[in-house]
Structures are given as C-alpha cells and as structure tokens.
C-alpha cells in the first residue's frame, strides 16, 4: 500500500490552514455565542459570511510563497489589509477577529524573510492600537467596544508583543535546525566530491597501468616510436588527472560563509581556473546581492566547476565567460565558450543511453534547488549552458 507523506512546506500550509479555520471558529463563537448583545446584528452575520468565504478561499488556494512575484505580494498585502481592517472596525482588543489577525503574520514569518514578517506584525498590531487610541474610531456594533484605560493598556502591550513574537518565532525555532541541515548537506556534498575524486583517480590510474604495460611491450620489441607515442598519451592523461584533482581540492577547501563571500569565492575560482587551464576565463556579475543558502552556494560552485571542466576537456576553446545575474526571485548563471560546439540532439540522446552522465548529474543538482537548466550549441560556434535557480529557502 503506497505511503502518503507531506513535505515540510506542505506541513506548514496544513498548519496555516488549520489555524485560519480555528481562528475563524473562535470569531464565530465570540460574536454569536458569547456576545452580550441580545441579538446578532444582520451586518454581523453578513460579515461572518464574507470572512467565512474568504477563509475557505485561502484554504483552497494557499499562499504562493515559492514564486515570490508581484501577484504573491499583492495577495499577501490584501490579506494583511483585510485582517487589519477586521480588528480595526470591529472593536480592536474587543474584536472577535483578534486571533484571526495573526494569520498573515504567521504566513510571512513561516514563508518570507524577517523584515516582511516584522512589517506585517507592525501593521496588524498598529491597527489594533489605532482602534483603541483614536477617539471616535469607526467600530461596527458587533461586540461591545472597551476603551483603553485600565487593564486594557497591558492587554494591548501583550497583544503587540504577541504579534512580533509570532513574526520572529519561526526564525528563532528554525535557526539551529536549518544550520544543522545545511551543515549536514555540505558534509554530504563534500563526501560525494571526495568519492568522485577517488573514482576518477582510480579510473585514471587503471588506464595508466594499462598504458605502462603497452610501453614496456613496445620497448621490449624495440619499437621506440610507438613507445614514445604511448608516453605522450600518458602525459596528457596525467595532466588531465592533475587538473581534475586540483579543481576538486579547491572546492573542498571552499568556505563561503567564513571566507570573503560567495561572489568573491566564485570570482576567485574562475580566475584560478584560467591560470590552471591556460584558457581566458572571465566572470561578469550583474547583481551580487542575492541571498543564497550555503547549500545553494556549494551546488552553484560545483555546477560552474563541472561546466568549466567540460569546456577544458571537450570544447577545444580558447575563451570562456561565466555570467552571474540575480534579482529578487531568481539567480541565473550561464557559461559560454567559443569552442567547437556539438549537436545537442546527439548529446542528449547519448545521455539517455547512459554515455554522458555529466549533464545528468548537473541537471539533478539544478532540480534539487528547484531550478531549470538549458543548453544551446552549434558546430564551430561554441556552447552556452545556463541554469536558473529560485531564491527561496532550501
């Protein structure tokens, strides 16, 4: 029997949907059952009906946190406005929607960055304070309105603290857990890199062992010309292995958080590649302000390394360019060379047959980060490989 398991983001959405439904039920109970009014006003029933329909819509169509486009922020802004208006026009601290007003705060706290969560908390708590502080503020007669003096000042302060605590609590709880996950992922990635080095080294040494036997046989048969040719092949293999090992060791030593930063590390790596390979390698950074996780930084460095290694080994190029672009939603990295190019259809066909695993590994890395990868190439016109990665928590 197949198992059904929610992802971490699915669990968060389930929690937010449950909290929204629960807070609406509390509002209904407070306004209809616990109200001191003799009868429920018609406009109160209408308001509850509208909020109930809105609650169902929010549960059925969850927050599109992963896209972070203009529509996403418009939807969030509408939710903040609706919840703040509900508590402002229905009694402030006496409002039945006081608990309901925490919904947008929890959403931004769990899915977006800290500044957005704090801003949301400020707007919502400010609306409650305004309802209590502004004389003659418009309050619908749904629940009796209590003025600020006395114990309600303490209640208001507690509510404001609760709003900001709801905004910051996800960051406080997740800080250590997220750091542990990133550290484990970084260790796993470097262990895989070490295994790749070992496998490549073992394969190269096995090939050299075979070549050594051939050279011995040619020398015993006094065919020095063929022996010299084999030694030339062996030299190329050794140089290739040496370059691969240096590149891999360079990434094993990368510490983007403790070092000069991701962009500086990437730039330094491209320059070192140029010095080692003899190719003219340049990097262009359009916007280096993107906030990437440690895991994303490590994967991008590995993707750039694998792409540059392919250029060095197969492209027969003299120049390669690395371009890094970032905005508020995406990071795009492209690697373009002026080499001999290839037929992408043939290459992809071989990949499906298992002959070219490099592209498959790179695509798996990009998929892990929720991005997409594309390749364009023509014979004698070079190759361009690019991948786009969304700026979201990993």
């Amino acid at each position: 029997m197949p198992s059904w398991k929610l992802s971490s983001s699915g669990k968060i959405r389930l929690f937010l949907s449950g909290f929204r439904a629960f807070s609406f039920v509390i509002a209904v109970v407070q306004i209809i059952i616990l109200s001191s009014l003799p009868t429920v006003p018609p406009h109160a029933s209408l308001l509850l009906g509208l909020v109930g329909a809105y609650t169902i819509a929010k549960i059925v169509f969850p927050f599109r946190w992963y896209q972070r486009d203009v529509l996403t922020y418009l939807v969030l802004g509408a939710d903040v406005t609706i919840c703040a208006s509900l508590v402002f026009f229905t009694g402030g601290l006496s409002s039945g929607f006081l608990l309901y007003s925490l919904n947008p705060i929890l959403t931004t706290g769990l899915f977006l960055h800290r500044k957005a969560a704090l801003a949301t908390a400020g707007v919502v708590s400010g609306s409650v304070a305004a309802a209590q502080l502004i004389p003659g503020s418009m309050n619908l007669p749904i629940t009796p309105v209590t003025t600020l003096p006395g114990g309600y000042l303490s209640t208001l302060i507690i509510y404001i603290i609760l709003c900001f605590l709801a905004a910051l609590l996800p960051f406080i709880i997740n800080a250590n857990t997220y750091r542990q996950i990133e550290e484990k992922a970084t260790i796993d990635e470097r262990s895989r890199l070490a295994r790749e080095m070992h496998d490549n080294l073992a394969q190269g040494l096995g090939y050299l062992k075979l070549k050594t036997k051939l050279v011995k046989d040619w020398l015993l048969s006094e065919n020095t010309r063929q022996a010299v040719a084999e030694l030339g092949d062996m030299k190329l293999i050794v140089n290739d292995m040496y370059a691969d090992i240096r590149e891999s060791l360079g990434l094993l030593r990368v510490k983007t958080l403790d070092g000069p930063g991701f962009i500086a590390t990437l730039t330094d790596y491209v320059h070192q590649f140029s010095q080692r390979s003899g190719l003219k390698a340049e990097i262009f950074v359009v916007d280096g302000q993107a906030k990437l996780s440690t895991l994303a930084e490590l994967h991008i460095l590995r993707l750039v390394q694998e792409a540059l290694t392919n250029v060095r080994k197969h492209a027969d190029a003299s120049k390669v360019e690395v371009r890094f672009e970032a905005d508020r939603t995406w990071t795009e990295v492209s690697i373009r060379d002026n080499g001999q190019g290839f037929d992408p259809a043939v290459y992809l066909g071989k990949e499906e047959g298992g002959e070219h695993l490099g592209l498959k590994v790179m695509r798996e890395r990009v998929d892990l980060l929720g991005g997409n990868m594309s390749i364009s190439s023509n014979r004698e016109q070079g190759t361009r490989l690019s991948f786009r990665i969304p700026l979201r928590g990993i």
Side-chain angles (χ1 to χ4, degrees), residues 125-167:
S125 61
S127 67
V128 175
Q132 298 292 153
L133 293 170
I134 298 177
S137 58
M138 295 177 60
N139 288 293
L140 299 177
I142 293 178
T143 55
V145 179
T146 307
T147 55
L148 184 64
Y152 275 82
L153 176 59
S154 299
T155 305
L156 177 62
I157 294 174
I158 291 173
Y159 174 77
I160 294 175
I161 294 175
L162 179 62
C163 286
F164 284 94
L165 184 61

Side-chain angles (χ1 to χ4, degrees), residues 279-350:
L279 298 176
K280 183 181 179 181
E282 298 178 319
I283 181 169
F284 301 94
V285 179
V286 177
D287 183 357
Q289 302 302 316
K291 294 183 179 180
L292 300 169
S293 67
T294 304
L295 182 60
E297 292 176 352
L298 187 59
H299 275 295
I300 290 176
L301 285 171
R302 286 289 283 138
L303 285 164
V304 172
Q305 183 219 15
E306 290 164 357
L308 292 179
T309 299
N310 287 336
V311 172
R312 174 176 58 82
K313 287 184 174 181
H314 310 299
D316 192 22
S318 61
K319 181 180 178 180
V320 59
E321 295 179 355
V322 178
R323 187 177 183 87
F324 181 92
E325 299 182 58
D327 56 26
R328 294 183 178 180
T329 57
W330 288 88
T331 291
E332 181 171 1
V333 182
S334 62
I335 299 93
R336 183 193 299 271
D337 66 67
N338 65 345
Q340 60 186 352
F342 61 93
D343 185 351
V346 175
Y347 188 94
L348 294 174
K350 288 185 177 181

Side-chain angles (χ1 to χ4, degrees), residues 337 339-345 347 374-385:
D337 66 67
Q340 60 186 352
F342 61 93
D343 185 351
Y347 188 94
S374 63
I375 288 182
S376 59
S377 181
N378 292 297
R379 291 289 183 182
E380 308 303 329
Q381 295 183 14
T383 301
R384 181 181 184 273
L385 181 146

Side-chain angles (χ1 to χ4, degrees), residues 64-118:
R64 303 191 313 163
W65 63 274
Y66 53 88
Q67 295 189 8
R68 297 194 183 183
D69 53 13
V70 175
L71 181 59
T72 299
Y73 287 102
L74 286 176
V75 171
L76 175 62
D79 193 34
V80 174
T81 302
I82 290 172
C83 292
S85 300
L86 280 174
V87 292
F88 178 77
F89 289 113
T90 59
L93 290 175
S94 301
S95 172
F97 296 103
L98 200 62
L99 186 64
Y100 195 89
S101 66
L102 296 179
N103 280 288
I105 302 175
L106 290 173
T107 301
T108 51
L110 289 169
F111 281 136
L112 298 180
H113 49 81
R114 187 178 305 174
K115 291 181 180 179
L118 291 175

